[in-house]
Amino acid sequence: MPPVPRSFAASISWPAGYAGRVAEALDHALAEVPAYRGWRALDPGPDVPVFERLARFPALTKDDLRDHGPDGFLPSSRALHEGIAQGEIELVQTSGTTSEQVTNTWHQPWWDASERASWRLNSHAAAADLGSHREAILTSPRSTGFACEEGTLPMAQRIHGRFLYLTERTDAGAWTPALMDRMLRELAEFAPTALEANPSFLARLARHVLATGARPRPPELVVLTYENPSAAQRAIIRRAFAAPVASSYGSTEAGYVFMECERGRMHQVTDCCHVDFLPFARRFGGPLLGRLLVSTLDNPWRALVRFDIGDVARLAEAGPGEPAGTRCPCGRIGGIVLEGIEGRASGITLGAHGGPVTPADVDRALAAVPGLVNHRLRQDGPGSVHIAYVLDAAAGPTRGTDRAVRAVLRRLYGRSCAIEAREVPALPPEPSGKYLRAAPTFAVDVDSFLDDAYRPPSAARGG
Ligand SMILES: [Zn+2]
């Protein structure tokens, strides 16, 4: 018999009543929701504390979501076609290639509640009185449905209710100065309270602002989402826009999961989700580094339990004698506190001794290279990486950058790693519309980095 997996949740302080809500969500899923029928035999029963119960179940993958379909996650008391007919839900498909796409049941009131809960975790968002505010959105038109690669879409056609979509062009590297000037004019005219942006897109606009000396009308809050911002992107966005910047983390499947507070740490949105943190083994960066499984709370149309959201995170370090992942200088207590998101698990490359190098490790290393504003690193196998990077034209002379890039990457990947580096004028997005700054081109078994004591049963090895 394999040992019973441990739960990291025991070391976290949770809000009052939270464990009961998680138990209710789990009991509901096991009793009512078809996708979890096969899990019932694994349940040690309600006498076992809920976080220990949860640890006995496998992770729910995107393949599971596709295999069961939207019906599989619907309680037996509800019917999909009725929900659609009554306007309670709609079906939405996530972006990506066909094999990556998932059809999600979208229940707007739950999504809105999850977003509102996230705002309470940042004092600037809380003060901005968000909810019926005007919002400008700068992200890939592939995610917003406003794509137009030839000609232009007039502003009126890109306004939808209280939202203005700032671009119809997918490739931020190919934006013209005229298009970016138009974005700045529209920001002044539309006067949004919040600007929600993909950091790769907003960093491109920020470079234009700094290069031209434009003075954009600042929103009350810039929310970075869709992708994990790099240190270099954050720095350039802060220089260009005189507004507080907060990173918001979640997914179409799981809603809002973490929100960055005004002190720069990420707080779990405990109103709407539970997070299981699966730490890596100590030699692979654990227990601070680990994977995230998300269980949704109180969504009447969709029950997700231990959904593998596909990212790696780093817990906030704590003082002596305190458990990691619990404290922030802002003083908010309750739920998991992260130092930050480390990037997609599928973006993990291998370091000198076969350990994980996260996309954020690469971002942090390259932040030390002056003028480097964007990069695309690929690893074809252990012991070799190649990188294309973009330099800020306004940053001045950049002789020796190749050497600097190689030096910082050698520290990450080891002295014997073959590093090919080249400067390029711009980098195109991936077919999904997003930018993938680091990734292996071969299979890396990220589960092999997990601490065995916390390994979910589906990832158990050797029986
Ligand atoms: Zn905080």
Side-chain angles (χ1 to χ4, degrees), residues 128 134-136 166 183-196 202 205 209 214-223 237-245:
R134 287 155 88 84
E135 185 163 307
L166 284 169
M183 293 178 194
L184 298 177
R185 277 198 309 276
E186 290 183 356
L187 275 177
E189 186 181 330
F190 191 70
T193 303
L195 168 58
E196 181 182 278
L202 189 56
L205 181 61
V209 166
R215 300 176 67 113
R217 181 197 173 280
E220 286 181 47
L221 181 69
V222 173
V223 178
I237 289 167
R238 278 183 200 283
R239 276 170 56 208
F241 294 89
V245 176

Side-chain angles (χ1 to χ4, degrees), residues 121 259-267 327-332 337:
L121 298 170
M259 176 71 174
E260 181 181 359
C261 76
E262 64 284 356
R263 302 295 293 267
R265 285 182 166 176
M266 308 283 289
H267 292 262
R327 285 281 185 272
C328 177
C330 76
R332 290 183 185 84
V337 184

Side-chain angles (χ1 to χ4, degrees), residues 203-204 206-208 210-211 230-233 235-236 239 363-375 387-402 404-405 408 422-427:
R204 178 66 197 92
R207 277 163 59 203
H208 176 72
L210 295 173
S230 73
Q233 288 173 337
I236 205 161
R239 276 170 56 208
D363 287 344
R364 282 188 288 266
L366 292 169
V369 178
L372 191 150
V373 288
N374 202 2
H375 62 269
I387 181 170
Y389 60 86
V390 178
L391 290 176
D392 187 0
T398 47
R399 274 167 63 94
T401 300
D402 250 37
V405 168
V408 296
R422 70 194 165 96
E423 186 192 342
V424 293
L427 286 165

